[in-house]
């Protein structure tokens, strides 16, 4: 949905004046997590991209009751009339109003809770594959959430900058970001994207694969929060030392509907994750095949850098290194690479605007 962006003069002037008193903000608007960066301060917040709403009468009339960590804690446990929503699906806005509420919440958090006066300049990232309409929707939701000016940067560019890759140089840099809803691969050189591919196989799909495995092997029904916990504690891409590890999982029996507990093995979880990991591997291989030879040469030497929460899956770098035969390095803080990249752009916004072709300004 694209919204009109013209607002009255009075409102603009008020926003401009109030903007003088707040700091520029960078937002990594992920499907799983939102990470907030404040200029001069660094990362100030990291919360799940979840909103809890209470329905008031007919559809369309709902009140936001919690955002972020508080809302995630409610998933699968809500009483009648209350719902948890993940406003972003596969990197794009699925629920516009909820996205706007979420951005408003994080902008107020960035400004120490003083939302009514927080009208900063905001740099926000979008996956490189989004359409013009989807990009516009992100800008509008950012302005609607309280920003005075909104700039969009493509996620792989931010991830690469945040991971410390020298993307401005005439050199092939490959970055692979594995988030909740999407995995993206990009080859960058001279400040721009040369090759880009994205895929819906990422963290959420892995959680769904664990749910399906438990259903099939144990007739056990678990929710996505439990599935993610299993992935984080015993999930892996390759066999590892001590992998005979077991874990007790509790859920509901599909046969008799009663609660039950089963013990599962790490190897079973690895098998369940394997198809998602293979799809990510194939995507990277395709991109390597399409990369111009002069840039491919650099990637063979320097390798690829993994970012995003999914990069933390046990054994993933080793697995990819073995199958792709190039060095695979995990960024220092994979969950924060994009936000740190957005932050670097923000710290020098006026200079970066000239360099980054993907920066887009949403005027009021
Ligand atoms: P997004 O950018 O889509 O918000 P993130 O980069 O924040 O996503 O990554 C979130 C995803 O990373 C989730 O699916 C989460 O389960 C997954 N994740 C986080 N830590 C780990 C880990 N140690 N092992 C496997 N997956 C992980
Ligand atoms: Mg991300």
């Amino acid at each position: 949905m694209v919204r009109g962006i013209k607002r009255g003069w009075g409102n603009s002037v008020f926003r401009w004046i109030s903007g003088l008193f707040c700091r520029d903000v960078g937002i990594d608007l992920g499907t799983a997590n939102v990470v907030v960066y404040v200029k001069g301060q660094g990362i100030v917040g990291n919360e799940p991209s979840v909103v809890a709403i209470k329905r008031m009468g007919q559809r369309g009339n709902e009140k936001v009751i919690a955002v972020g960590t508080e809302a995630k804690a409610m998933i699968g446990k809500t009483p009648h009339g209350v719902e948890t929503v993940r406003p972003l699906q596969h990197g794009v806005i699925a629920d516009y109003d909820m996205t706007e509420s979420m951005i408003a919440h994080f902008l107020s958090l960035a400004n120490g809770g003083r939302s009514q006066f927080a009208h900063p300049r905001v740099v926000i990232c979008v996956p490189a594959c989004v359409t013009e309409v989807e990009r516009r929707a992100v800008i509008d939701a950012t302005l609607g959430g309280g920003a005075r000016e909104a700039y969009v940067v493509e996620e792989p560019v931010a991830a690469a900058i945040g991971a410390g890759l020298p993307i401005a140089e005439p050199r092939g840099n490959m970055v692979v970001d594995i988030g909740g809803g999407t995995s993206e691969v990009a080859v960058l050189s001279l400040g721009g994207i040369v090759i880009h591919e994205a895929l819906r196989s990422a963290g959420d799909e892995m959680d769904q694969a664990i749910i399906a495995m438990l259903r099939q092997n144990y007739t056990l029904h678990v929710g996505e929060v439990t599935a993610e916990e299993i992935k984080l504690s015993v999930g892996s891409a390759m066999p590892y030392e001590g992998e005979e590890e077991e874990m007790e999982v509790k859920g509901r029996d599909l046969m008799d509907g009663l609660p039950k507990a089963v013990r599962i093995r790490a190897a079973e979880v690895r098998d369940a994750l394997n198809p998602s990991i293979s799809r990510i591997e194939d995507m990277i291989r395709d991109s390597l095949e399409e990369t111009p030879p002069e840039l491919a040469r650099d990637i063979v030497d320097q390798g690829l850098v993994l970012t995003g929460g999914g990069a933390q899956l046990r054994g993933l770098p080793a697995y990819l290194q073995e199958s792709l035969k190039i060095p695979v390095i995990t960024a220092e803080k994979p969950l924060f690479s994009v936000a740190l990249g957005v932050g670097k752009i923000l710290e020098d916004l006026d200079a970066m605007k000239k360099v980054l072709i993907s920066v887009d300004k949403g005027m009021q």
Side-chain angles (χ1 to χ4, degrees), residues 228-262:
E228 187 184 24
E229 277 168 19
I230 297 170
K231 176 181 70 180
L232 301 194
S233 58
V234 297
S236 62
M238 273 179 99
Y240 58 95
E241 220 175 300
E243 67 140 350
E244 288 319 310
E245 204 177 344
E246 288 190 351
M247 181 180 178
E248 187 180 60
V249 179
K250 294 174 190 149
R252 193 162 55 80
D253 193 316
L254 282 166
M255 305 310 275
D256 61 14
L258 296 175
K260 79 167 176 185
V262 300

mmCIF file of all heavy atoms in Angstrom, residues 228-262:
data_model
loop_
_atom_site.group_PDB
_atom_site.id
_atom_site.type_symbol
_atom_site.label_atom_id
_atom_site.label_comp_id
_atom_site.label_asym_id
_atom_site.label_seq_id
_atom_site.Cartn_x
_atom_site.Cartn_y
_atom_site.Cartn_z
ATOM 1 N N GLU A 228 12.040 -22.858 17.631
ATOM 2 C CA GLU A 228 13.235 -22.007 17.557
ATOM 3 C C GLU A 228 14.202 -22.339 18.699
ATOM 4 O O GLU A 228 15.412 -22.411 18.504
ATOM 5 C CB GLU A 228 12.848 -20.527 17.586
ATOM 6 C CG GLU A 228 14.062 -19.629 17.348
ATOM 7 C CD GLU A 228 13.763 -18.137 17.453
ATOM 8 O OE1 GLU A 228 12.789 -17.755 18.127
ATOM 9 O OE2 GLU A 228 14.546 -17.361 16.872
ATOM 10 N N GLU A 229 13.641 -22.593 19.889
ATOM 11 C CA GLU A 229 14.499 -22.949 21.035
ATOM 12 C C GLU A 229 15.295 -24.222 20.738
ATOM 13 O O GLU A 229 16.477 -24.326 21.074
ATOM 14 C CB GLU A 229 13.639 -23.196 22.281
ATOM 15 C CG GLU A 229 13.274 -21.916 23.019
ATOM 16 C CD GLU A 229 12.190 -22.168 24.081
ATOM 17 O OE1 GLU A 229 11.987 -23.333 24.495
ATOM 18 O OE2 GLU A 229 11.551 -21.180 24.459
ATOM 19 N N ILE A 230 14.630 -25.193 20.093
ATOM 20 C CA ILE A 230 15.304 -26.450 19.747
ATOM 21 C C ILE A 230 16.457 -26.163 18.776
ATOM 22 O O ILE A 230 17.570 -26.646 18.941
ATOM 23 C CB ILE A 230 14.302 -27.451 19.110
ATOM 24 C CG1 ILE A 230 13.212 -27.815 20.124
ATOM 25 C CG2 ILE A 230 15.015 -28.690 18.588
ATOM 26 C CD1 ILE A 230 12.047 -28.601 19.537
ATOM 27 N N LYS A 231 16.154 -25.322 17.765
ATOM 28 C CA LYS A 231 17.180 -24.992 16.757
ATOM 29 C C LYS A 231 18.386 -24.331 17.420
ATOM 30 O O LYS A 231 19.523 -24.668 17.135
ATOM 31 C CB LYS A 231 16.553 -24.050 15.715
ATOM 32 C CG LYS A 231 17.515 -23.560 14.669
ATOM 33 C CD LYS A 231 16.833 -22.609 13.676
ATOM 34 C CE LYS A 231 16.469 -21.274 14.310
ATOM 35 N NZ LYS A 231 15.823 -20.349 13.382
ATOM 36 N N LEU A 232 18.110 -23.403 18.338
ATOM 37 C CA LEU A 232 19.203 -22.687 18.994
ATOM 38 C C LEU A 232 20.009 -23.610 19.912
ATOM 39 O O LEU A 232 21.213 -23.452 20.048
ATOM 40 C CB LEU A 232 18.690 -21.492 19.813
ATOM 41 C CG LEU A 232 17.903 -20.415 19.073
ATOM 42 C CD1 LEU A 232 17.768 -19.175 19.920
ATOM 43 C CD2 LEU A 232 18.559 -20.040 17.759
ATOM 44 N N SER A 233 19.338 -24.581 20.550
ATOM 45 C CA SER A 233 20.134 -25.370 21.488
ATOM 46 C C SER A 233 20.770 -26.600 20.860
ATOM 47 O O SER A 233 21.920 -26.894 21.182
ATOM 48 C CB SER A 233 19.367 -25.699 22.762
ATOM 49 O OG SER A 233 18.211 -26.388 22.447
ATOM 50 N N VAL A 234 20.087 -27.320 19.948
ATOM 51 C CA VAL A 234 20.761 -28.507 19.388
ATOM 52 C C VAL A 234 20.835 -28.507 17.859
ATOM 53 O O VAL A 234 21.292 -29.483 17.274
ATOM 54 C CB VAL A 234 20.105 -29.840 19.877
ATOM 55 C CG1 VAL A 234 20.229 -29.999 21.369
ATOM 56 C CG2 VAL A 234 18.642 -29.932 19.447
ATOM 57 N N GLY A 235 20.400 -27.409 17.216
ATOM 58 C CA GLY A 235 20.435 -27.353 15.752
ATOM 59 C C GLY A 235 21.857 -27.271 15.229
ATOM 60 O O GLY A 235 22.735 -26.692 15.873
ATOM 61 N N SER A 236 22.097 -27.883 14.070
ATOM 62 C CA SER A 236 23.433 -27.816 13.474
ATOM 63 C C SER A 236 23.359 -28.108 11.980
ATOM 64 O O SER A 236 22.373 -28.658 11.484
ATOM 65 C CB SER A 236 24.355 -28.833 14.137
ATOM 66 O OG SER A 236 23.859 -30.142 13.905
ATOM 67 N N ALA A 237 24.429 -27.711 11.284
ATOM 68 C CA ALA A 237 24.513 -27.974 9.841
ATOM 69 C C ALA A 237 25.406 -29.175 9.570
ATOM 70 O O ALA A 237 25.337 -29.777 8.513
ATOM 71 C CB ALA A 237 25.067 -26.738 9.134
ATOM 72 N N MET A 238 26.261 -29.494 10.530
ATOM 73 C CA MET A 238 27.208 -30.604 10.380
ATOM 74 C C MET A 238 27.310 -31.336 11.705
ATOM 75 O O MET A 238 27.077 -30.738 12.747
ATOM 76 C CB MET A 238 28.607 -30.026 10.101
ATOM 77 C CG MET A 238 28.905 -29.752 8.670
ATOM 78 S SD MET A 238 30.543 -29.079 8.575
ATOM 79 C CE MET A 238 31.443 -30.512 8.127
ATOM 80 N N PRO A 239 27.723 -32.613 11.660
ATOM 81 C CA PRO A 239 27.942 -33.310 12.933
ATOM 82 C C PRO A 239 28.992 -32.546 13.752
ATOM 83 O O PRO A 239 29.908 -31.964 13.182
ATOM 84 C CB PRO A 239 28.503 -34.667 12.504
ATOM 85 C CG PRO A 239 28.088 -34.833 11.091
ATOM 86 C CD PRO A 239 28.009 -33.464 10.507
ATOM 87 N N TYR A 240 28.822 -32.513 15.031
ATOM 88 C CA TYR A 240 29.794 -31.817 15.876
ATOM 89 C C TYR A 240 30.104 -32.672 17.086
ATOM 90 O O TYR A 240 29.396 -33.641 17.389
ATOM 91 C CB TYR A 240 29.254 -30.444 16.299
ATOM 92 C CG TYR A 240 27.945 -30.496 17.050
ATOM 93 C CD1 TYR A 240 27.915 -30.492 18.443
ATOM 94 C CD2 TYR A 240 26.737 -30.563 16.361
ATOM 95 C CE1 TYR A 240 26.704 -30.539 19.124
ATOM 96 C CE2 TYR A 240 25.534 -30.614 17.035
ATOM 97 C CZ TYR A 240 25.523 -30.607 18.414
ATOM 98 O OH TYR A 240 24.332 -30.659 19.086
ATOM 99 N N GLU A 241 31.157 -32.297 17.758
ATOM 100 C CA GLU A 241 31.571 -33.059 18.937
ATOM 101 C C GLU A 241 30.446 -33.024 19.983
ATOM 102 O O GLU A 241 29.871 -31.968 20.233
ATOM 103 C CB GLU A 241 32.835 -32.435 19.525
ATOM 104 C CG GLU A 241 33.808 -33.481 20.000
ATOM 105 C CD GLU A 241 35.097 -32.832 20.456
ATOM 106 O OE1 GLU A 241 35.749 -32.164 19.627
ATOM 107 O OE2 GLU A 241 35.412 -32.981 21.643
ATOM 108 N N GLY A 242 30.132 -34.142 20.525
ATOM 109 C CA GLY A 242 29.067 -34.183 21.531
ATOM 110 C C GLY A 242 27.698 -34.128 20.909
ATOM 111 O O GLY A 242 26.716 -33.779 21.547
ATOM 112 N N GLU A 243 27.598 -34.467 19.627
ATOM 113 C CA GLU A 243 26.303 -34.323 18.946
ATOM 114 C C GLU A 243 25.306 -35.393 19.357
ATOM 115 O O GLU A 243 24.171 -35.386 18.925
ATOM 116 C CB GLU A 243 26.483 -34.320 17.438
ATOM 117 C CG GLU A 243 26.943 -35.634 16.895
ATOM 118 C CD GLU A 243 26.269 -35.979 15.591
ATOM 119 O OE1 GLU A 243 25.329 -35.285 15.218
ATOM 120 O OE2 GLU A 243 26.697 -36.960 14.985
ATOM 121 N N GLU A 244 25.769 -36.349 20.155
ATOM 122 C CA GLU A 244 24.813 -37.353 20.613
ATOM 123 C C GLU A 244 23.847 -36.735 21.616
ATOM 124 O O GLU A 244 22.930 -37.371 22.101
ATOM 125 C CB GLU A 244 25.543 -38.573 21.209
ATOM 126 C CG GLU A 244 26.228 -39.438 20.150
ATOM 127 C CD GLU A 244 25.372 -39.627 18.876
ATOM 128 O OE1 GLU A 244 24.192 -39.990 19.023
ATOM 129 O OE2 GLU A 244 25.871 -39.407 17.766
ATOM 130 N N GLU A 245 24.120 -35.460 21.865
ATOM 131 C CA GLU A 245 23.282 -34.650 22.733
ATOM 132 C C GLU A 245 21.782 -34.900 22.492
ATOM 133 O O GLU A 245 21.343 -35.004 21.354
ATOM 134 C CB GLU A 245 23.577 -33.193 22.377
ATOM 135 C CG GLU A 245 23.299 -32.210 23.444
ATOM 136 C CD GLU A 245 23.711 -30.803 22.965
ATOM 137 O OE1 GLU A 245 24.448 -30.667 21.972
ATOM 138 O OE2 GLU A 245 23.285 -29.863 23.626
ATOM 139 N N GLU A 246 21.043 -34.960 23.568
ATOM 140 C CA GLU A 246 19.592 -35.131 23.448
ATOM 141 C C GLU A 246 18.906 -33.942 24.092
ATOM 142 O O GLU A 246 19.510 -33.219 24.881
ATOM 143 C CB GLU A 246 19.155 -36.410 24.167
ATOM 144 C CG GLU A 246 19.570 -37.668 23.447
ATOM 145 C CD GLU A 246 18.931 -38.903 24.047
ATOM 146 O OE1 GLU A 246 18.315 -38.781 25.127
ATOM 147 O OE2 GLU A 246 19.047 -39.969 23.422
ATOM 148 N N MET A 247 17.656 -33.785 23.762
ATOM 149 C CA MET A 247 16.923 -32.669 24.371
ATOM 150 C C MET A 247 15.493 -33.124 24.637
ATOM 151 O O MET A 247 14.896 -33.807 23.805
ATOM 152 C CB MET A 247 16.924 -31.493 23.395
ATOM 153 C CG MET A 247 16.228 -30.287 23.915
ATOM 154 S SD MET A 247 16.264 -28.950 22.697
ATOM 155 C CE MET A 247 15.312 -27.735 23.588
ATOM 156 N N GLU A 248 14.991 -32.720 25.770
ATOM 157 C CA GLU A 248 13.597 -33.050 26.062
ATOM 158 C C GLU A 248 12.693 -31.960 25.487
ATOM 159 O O GLU A 248 12.966 -30.770 25.676
ATOM 160 C CB GLU A 248 13.374 -33.148 27.579
ATOM 161 C CG GLU A 248 11.982 -33.653 27.881
ATOM 162 C CD GLU A 248 11.708 -33.780 29.366
ATOM 163 O OE1 GLU A 248 11.782 -32.758 30.080
ATOM 164 O OE2 GLU A 248 11.418 -34.897 29.807
ATOM 165 N N VAL A 249 11.681 -32.382 24.745
ATOM 166 C CA VAL A 249 10.771 -31.417 24.135
ATOM 167 C C VAL A 249 9.354 -31.707 24.604
ATOM 168 O O VAL A 249 8.913 -32.852 24.579
ATOM 169 C CB VAL A 249 10.829 -31.523 22.592
ATOM 170 C CG1 VAL A 249 9.872 -30.539 21.958
ATOM 171 C CG2 VAL A 249 12.241 -31.297 22.092
ATOM 172 N N LYS A 250 8.668 -30.649 25.018
ATOM 173 C CA LYS A 250 7.289 -30.834 25.483
ATOM 174 C C LYS A 250 6.318 -30.175 24.525
ATOM 175 O O LYS A 250 6.594 -29.112 23.989
ATOM 176 C CB LYS A 250 7.127 -30.210 26.876
ATOM 177 C CG LYS A 250 7.948 -30.935 27.918
ATOM 178 C CD LYS A 250 7.885 -30.216 29.233
ATOM 179 C CE LYS A 250 8.901 -30.833 30.178
ATOM 180 N NZ LYS A 250 9.433 -29.878 31.133
ATOM 181 N N GLY A 251 5.207 -30.834 24.325
ATOM 182 C CA GLY A 251 4.172 -30.277 23.449
ATOM 183 C C GLY A 251 2.887 -31.046 23.645
ATOM 184 O O GLY A 251 2.647 -31.587 24.727
ATOM 185 N N ARG A 252 2.097 -31.114 22.581
ATOM 186 C CA ARG A 252 0.810 -31.798 22.684
ATOM 187 C C ARG A 252 0.797 -32.973 21.723
ATOM 188 O O ARG A 252 1.215 -32.842 20.570
ATOM 189 C CB ARG A 252 -0.298 -30.802 22.335
ATOM 190 C CG ARG A 252 -1.680 -31.264 22.686
ATOM 191 C CD ARG A 252 -2.641 -30.075 22.720
ATOM 192 N NE ARG A 252 -2.626 -29.322 21.465
ATOM 193 C CZ ARG A 252 -3.290 -29.700 20.386
ATOM 194 N NH1 ARG A 252 -3.978 -30.815 20.372
ATOM 195 N NH2 ARG A 252 -3.258 -28.973 19.292
ATOM 196 N N ASP A 253 0.325 -34.115 22.211
ATOM 197 C CA ASP A 253 0.262 -35.293 21.349
ATOM 198 C C ASP A 253 -0.849 -35.110 20.313
ATOM 199 O O ASP A 253 -1.969 -34.756 20.659
ATOM 200 C CB ASP A 253 -0.004 -36.541 22.196
ATOM 201 C CG ASP A 253 0.227 -37.807 21.393
ATOM 202 O OD1 ASP A 253 -0.219 -37.882 20.229
ATOM 203 O OD2 ASP A 253 0.869 -38.722 21.926
ATOM 204 N N LEU A 254 -0.516 -35.360 19.051
ATOM 205 C CA LEU A 254 -1.512 -35.172 17.996
ATOM 206 C C LEU A 254 -2.582 -36.253 18.021
ATOM 207 O O LEU A 254 -3.671 -36.071 17.505
ATOM 208 C CB LEU A 254 -0.827 -35.190 16.622
ATOM 209 C CG LEU A 254 -0.100 -33.919 16.230
ATOM 210 C CD1 LEU A 254 0.800 -34.170 15.043
ATOM 211 C CD2 LEU A 254 -1.107 -32.823 15.919
ATOM 212 N N MET A 255 -2.252 -37.410 18.609
ATOM 213 C CA MET A 255 -3.209 -38.510 18.622
ATOM 214 C C MET A 255 -4.294 -38.306 19.675
ATOM 215 O O MET A 255 -5.477 -38.319 19.374
ATOM 216 C CB MET A 255 -2.499 -39.861 18.865
ATOM 217 C CG MET A 255 -1.383 -40.148 17.882
ATOM 218 S SD MET A 255 -1.872 -39.933 16.153
ATOM 219 C CE MET A 255 -2.582 -41.533 15.856
ATOM 220 N N ASP A 256 -3.845 -38.122 20.927
ATOM 221 C CA ASP A 256 -4.876 -37.998 21.975
ATOM 222 C C ASP A 256 -5.051 -36.569 22.481
ATOM 223 O O ASP A 256 -5.873 -36.319 23.355
ATOM 224 C CB ASP A 256 -4.574 -38.971 23.131
ATOM 225 C CG ASP A 256 -3.230 -38.688 23.785
ATOM 226 O OD1 ASP A 256 -2.675 -37.605 23.524
ATOM 227 O OD2 ASP A 256 -2.734 -39.539 24.540
ATOM 228 N N GLY A 257 -4.273 -35.652 21.938
ATOM 229 C CA GLY A 257 -4.453 -34.247 22.307
ATOM 230 C C GLY A 257 -3.904 -33.869 23.673
ATOM 231 O O GLY A 257 -4.031 -32.737 24.121
ATOM 232 N N LEU A 258 -3.245 -34.837 24.346
ATOM 233 C CA LEU A 258 -2.754 -34.544 25.696
ATOM 234 C C LEU A 258 -1.295 -34.084 25.671
ATOM 235 O O LEU A 258 -0.551 -34.418 24.757
ATOM 236 C CB LEU A 258 -2.884 -35.808 26.561
ATOM 237 C CG LEU A 258 -4.312 -36.281 26.794
ATOM 238 C CD1 LEU A 258 -4.332 -37.596 27.562
ATOM 239 C CD2 LEU A 258 -5.115 -35.210 27.540
ATOM 240 N N PRO A 259 -0.891 -33.335 26.708
ATOM 241 C CA PRO A 259 0.500 -32.899 26.758
ATOM 242 C C PRO A 259 1.431 -34.101 26.880
ATOM 243 O O PRO A 259 1.082 -35.085 27.537
ATOM 244 C CB PRO A 259 0.572 -32.062 28.040
ATOM 245 C CG PRO A 259 -0.821 -31.772 28.422
ATOM 246 C CD PRO A 259 -1.673 -32.846 27.862
ATOM 247 N N LYS A 260 2.590 -34.023 26.234
ATOM 248 C CA LYS A 260 3.574 -35.097 26.425
ATOM 249 C C LYS A 260 4.978 -34.562 26.210
ATOM 250 O O LYS A 260 5.170 -33.472 25.651
ATOM 251 C CB LYS A 260 3.278 -36.298 25.517
ATOM 252 C CG LYS A 260 3.707 -36.170 24.077
ATOM 253 C CD LYS A 260 3.651 -37.553 23.388
ATOM 254 C CE LYS A 260 3.974 -37.435 21.909
ATOM 255 N NZ LYS A 260 3.833 -38.694 21.176
ATOM 256 N N ALA A 261 5.971 -35.346 26.665
ATOM 257 C CA ALA A 261 7.372 -34.958 26.501
ATOM 258 C C ALA A 261 8.091 -36.078 25.766
ATOM 259 O O ALA A 261 7.811 -37.261 26.004
ATOM 260 C CB ALA A 261 8.001 -34.735 27.875
ATOM 261 N N VAL A 262 8.989 -35.705 24.850
ATOM 262 C CA VAL A 262 9.787 -36.735 24.165
ATOM 263 C C VAL A 262 11.252 -36.298 24.214
ATOM 264 O O VAL A 262 11.545 -35.127 24.440
ATOM 265 C CB VAL A 262 9.371 -36.927 22.679
ATOM 266 C CG1 VAL A 262 7.922 -37.359 22.566
ATOM 267 C CG2 VAL A 262 9.620 -35.658 21.860
#
